Every structure is written in C-alpha cells, then in structure tokens.
Amino acid sequence: MRTQHVPWTRWRETLDDLSRTYDGAIVSLEIVGDDVGAQPEVIDQPLRGLSSDRSGVTIRIANSTGNLEHLIRHPRDLRIVETDEGAVMAVEIEENEGLHTLVHFRSPAIPELLDPTME
C-alpha cells in the first residue's frame, strides 16, 4: 500500500481525473476524527464526482433520493491511497479542524480495468 500526497496546485486536476475515471464506482464515505471517532456517512453507493474550488472540496455520491453532496470547507491535505499495483483504494481529505474525510472504494481497481473501450 502507498499513499500519494497531492500538491494543492494539482487538487482540481487530480479530482477531475478521478471523477472521470471512477464515475459510478461503488464507494463509502467516512468521517474520522479524535472527537468523533469513525462515523460512516454513506455505505456502498455510486460515486458521482469529486471537485475542488474556492469553497473547498465537494464529494458527490448518488443515493435513493438523488445525489448527496458533502462539502469540506477548509481542506488542508489531499491524499490518494493505492495498492502496490496502483489501484485506488481511497481518497483522503484532511481538514483544518483535524477531521479526515475518507472515500473508500469497495473494490480497488486499476483505471485501465474501468475503461469501457477496452475489451
């Protein structure tokens, strides 16, 4: 397992790339912190996108009523957790308040395996 720290200047590009590659992948969303422990917010739902702008980092996940949007207003670090083979296992966003938001992929996958044009 390896963790890739993403420089702030590449957050938007990296999250846009992840959104295109993993749209529809089954994910879970968890909030972790010393004061709150590990709090699951969403379990096994399709990812609809990750984005970064002046308001913070937004995670969009489909649910039975449409799309859930989880906004992280003061992110300070973005990390991609991968298997040794390069498959994405999780996206971790650390907030200024010491909280961590984790987007866990149910089945880590190498992006090439998700390309619908590949046979």
Side-chain angles (χ1 to χ4, degrees):
M1 184 170 67
R2 62 183 178 202
T3 301
Q4 173 188 348
H5 292 267
V6 180
W8 178 83
T9 56
R10 297 201 55 229
W11 284 14
R12 180 180 292 207
E13 173 189 351
T14 298
L15 294 176
D16 286 350
D17 288 346
L18 285 168
S19 293
R20 279 189 294 278
T21 302
Y22 294 103
D23 181 48
I26 303 301
V27 299
S28 294
L29 178 68
E30 178 179 35
I31 311 300
V32 179
D34 290 338
D35 294 338
V36 298
Q39 300 292 318
E41 296 290 316
V42 175
I43 299 173
D44 292 344
Q45 297 295 320
L47 179 67
R48 289 296 171 233
L50 301 154
S51 61
S52 176
D53 60 25
R54 288 184 189 196
S55 64
V57 172
T58 302
I59 302 163
R60 289 175 192 81
I61 299 175
N63 62 21
S64 60
T65 61
N67 285 327
L68 166 80
E69 288 196 2
H70 178 80
L71 176 63
I72 302 157
R73 293 189 189 278
H74 304 288
R76 70 175 186 192
D77 199 6
L78 173 66
R79 296 182 282 273
I80 310 297
V81 182
E82 300 176 334
T83 66
D84 292 335
E85 295 77 26
V88 175
M89 296 172 51
V91 175
E92 180 179 7
I93 301 115
E94 185 175 343
E95 301 179 46
N96 282 336
E97 296 82 24
L99 293 175
H100 296 254
T101 300
L102 297 159
V103 179
H104 296 280
F105 290 81
R106 182 168 66 187
S107 298
I110 298 171
E112 294 80 21
L113 296 177
L114 298 176
D115 187 351
T117 62
M118 302 280 296
E119 296 204 17

